[in-house]
Amino acid sequence: MTRPLHIADEVRAVAPGFGHLAVEAYGLTNGPSDAASSDLLDAAARRLAERLDGRAPHEDPHIAAWRAAYTAFGCKPSRTRNSAEALARRALADGGLPRINRLVDLYNAISVAHLVPVGGEDLDRIQGDMRLVRATGDEPFVTAAGGAEVIEHPEPGEVVWCDDEGVTCRRWNWRQGVRTRLTEDSGSALFLLERMAPMPLDALRTAGAELAEALEKACPDARIEIGEVRGH
C-alpha cells in the first residue's frame, strides 16, 4: 500500500473497537451508472433485507456500535447517521439506492451487502497522508450547496478524515467532501472499509475481498492492492 493512514490516539480512545481496511486501485475506468452497477445495488439490497429479516438497520449490533461511537464524540446518531446506516435505510425504502457512477455504485453495493461503512477517495486528489483525527474546528471542508462549492468547518472535537489540504469526510464517515470524491474521470482510488466491534475482523476481510473482486470484474486492466486489517 502506498497511501499511509494514521489513526489518532484520541480517536482510538473514543472507539477502541474501531478497525479499518484499505483497498487501493490503479488503472480504473469509471463512467455513468450502467446495468451492471445497477444490478450490484439491487442484489446488495436483497442481501441486506435477508440479513436484517425485518429489523431496522439500527437494530443490527454493528450499526448499534457505530451509533455508540458517534454518541461518544458528541454527535446525535439518530440525526447524523453513519454512512452504512444511511445507505441501508435508503436500500430498504421505496425509492431504493441512488445511482451515482460505476465506481461509487460498486462500493455502495459492498457497504449495503455487508452493512459496513465504505468510502471511496480519488487518489490523485488526496494531498499527503490520510489521517483520522478529532477536529480543531479550523480545518476547511469543501462541500456543495445550490450547485456551488462551499467551505464549511467541522465542530471542535468532531471525528474527521483529513489530508494536508483539509477535511475529506466529516463526522467519521457521514459526509464526503467534493474535493476527493470519485468522479467519472477518476482512474485511481482509495477505498476505505471501517468496522466497529463486534463485527469480526475476518468479516471486514471478506468485504474487502469482495470489493477487490468486483473492481477486477468491472475494470479488468486495473491493479488492485488489499491492505492489512488494522484494529483489535
Side-chain angles (χ1 to χ4, degrees):
M1 304 296 287
T2 60
R3 185 69 58 173
L5 301 174
H6 306 284
I7 314 299
D9 290 341
E10 58 191 3
V11 174
R12 296 191 185 281
V14 168
F18 174 66
H20 66 280
L21 172 65
V23 177
E24 291 183 4
Y26 303 88
L28 296 168
T29 52
N30 200 8
S33 300
D34 57 17
S37 69
S38 185
D39 287 346
L40 283 174
L41 290 170
D42 289 340
R46 291 192 294 269
R47 290 168 64 181
L48 174 69
E50 292 174 2
R51 170 180 176 150
L52 292 176
D53 193 24
R55 295 176 298 156
H58 69 266
E59 296 178 282
D60 184 271
H62 188 222
I63 298 302
W66 273 107
R67 283 189 160 220
Y70 269 49
T71 300
F73 73 83
C75 185
K76 294 183 178 180
S78 59
R79 181 180 301 173
T80 305
R81 295 181 175 89
N82 70 83
S83 64
E85 181 180 354
L87 273 178
R89 287 168 60 90
R90 296 193 69 170
L92 298 173
D94 290 340
L97 289 163
R99 272 58 173 168
I100 309 297
N101 59 55
R102 291 174 61 217
L103 291 178
V104 175
D105 292 353
L106 193 155
Y107 78 73
N108 279 348
I110 298 298
S111 175
V112 169
H114 293 269
L115 205 53
V116 59
V118 183
E121 306 283 354
D122 191 320
L123 273 171
D124 296 325
R125 295 179 178 271
I126 296 173
Q127 304 298 316
D129 295 350
M130 294 284 292
R131 302 179 296 279
L132 186 65
V133 302
R134 300 197 71 173
T136 65
D138 296 326
E139 301 91 342
F141 174 73
V142 181
T143 186
E149 289 191 357
V150 178
I151 296 179
E152 297 179 350
H153 299 276
E155 298 172 2
E158 182 181 320
V159 176
V160 297
W161 279 102
C162 62
D163 63 4
D164 291 350
E165 192 167 322
V167 174
T168 58
C169 196
R170 285 195 59 187
R171 295 177 187 170
W172 216 312
N173 48 45
W174 167 66
R175 177 178 292 171
Q176 185 182 32
V178 299
R179 174 170 58 88
T180 59
R181 66 185 176 184
L182 293 176
T183 69
E184 292 181 16
D185 296 324
S186 298
S188 299
L190 168 67
F191 299 96
L192 187 63
L193 295 81
E194 301 179 288
R195 145 283 193 199
M196 290 287 175
M199 180 181 181
L201 293 177
D202 281 346
L204 193 62
R205 293 186 182 94
T206 298
E210 186 175 326
L211 172 62
E213 183 179 353
L215 287 169
E216 289 169 350
K217 183 176 180 180
C219 308
D221 296 328
R223 175 168 59 88
I224 315 297
E225 299 181 7
I226 303 177
E228 295 183 7
V229 170
R230 305 291 184 182
H232 301 284

